[in-house]
């Protein structure tokens, strides 16, 4: 399975928000869009959380090297 980039997910999420804010979608379509938006939001959150963790780990390594 191909991993979708953070940027692609954000773009899709913005498109969903625009559609929902327009008020033109039916209730059923709005619910589907909302569900897709939640999934995209969760994927973006995970990507950011992983990036933050990686930065923290790299910073810790740099601090350890500076202390030696």
């Amino acid at each position: 399975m191909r991993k979708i980039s953070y940027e692609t997910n954000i773009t899709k999420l913005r498109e969903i928000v625009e559609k929902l804010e327009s008020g033109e979608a039916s209730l059923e379509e709005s619910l589907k869009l909302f569900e897709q938006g939640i999934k995209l939001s969760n994927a973006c959150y995970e990507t950011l959380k992983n990036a933050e963790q990686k930065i923290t780990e790299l910073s810790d390594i740099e601090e350890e090297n500076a202390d030696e």
Side-chain angles (χ1 to χ4, degrees):
M1 188 171 143
R2 190 174 140 260
K3 185 175 181 181
I4 299 173
S5 74
Y6 174 81
E7 291 78 8
T8 299
N9 283 339
I10 285 292
T11 299
K12 289 180 180 181
L13 187 55
R14 285 184 182 139
E15 291 170 358
I16 287 171
V17 169
E18 288 175 7
K19 287 179 187 177
L20 288 171
E21 287 180 341
S22 74
E24 295 178 11
S26 67
L27 177 60
E28 186 175 322
E29 184 181 0
S30 293
L31 289 172
K32 287 179 183 178
L33 289 169
F34 183 78
E35 183 178 4
Q36 290 174 347
I38 293 295
K39 289 177 183 178
L40 289 168
S41 176
N42 288 338
C44 290
Y45 173 78
E46 284 298 316
T47 300
L48 291 174
K49 186 173 81 171
N50 290 337
E52 181 181 27
Q53 182 178 357
K54 188 176 284 186
I55 289 169
T56 300
E57 289 171 2
L58 292 171
S59 295
D60 290 346
I61 291 171
E62 182 62 29
E63 286 179 18
E64 289 174 11
N65 289 338
D67 290 341
E68 292 178 358

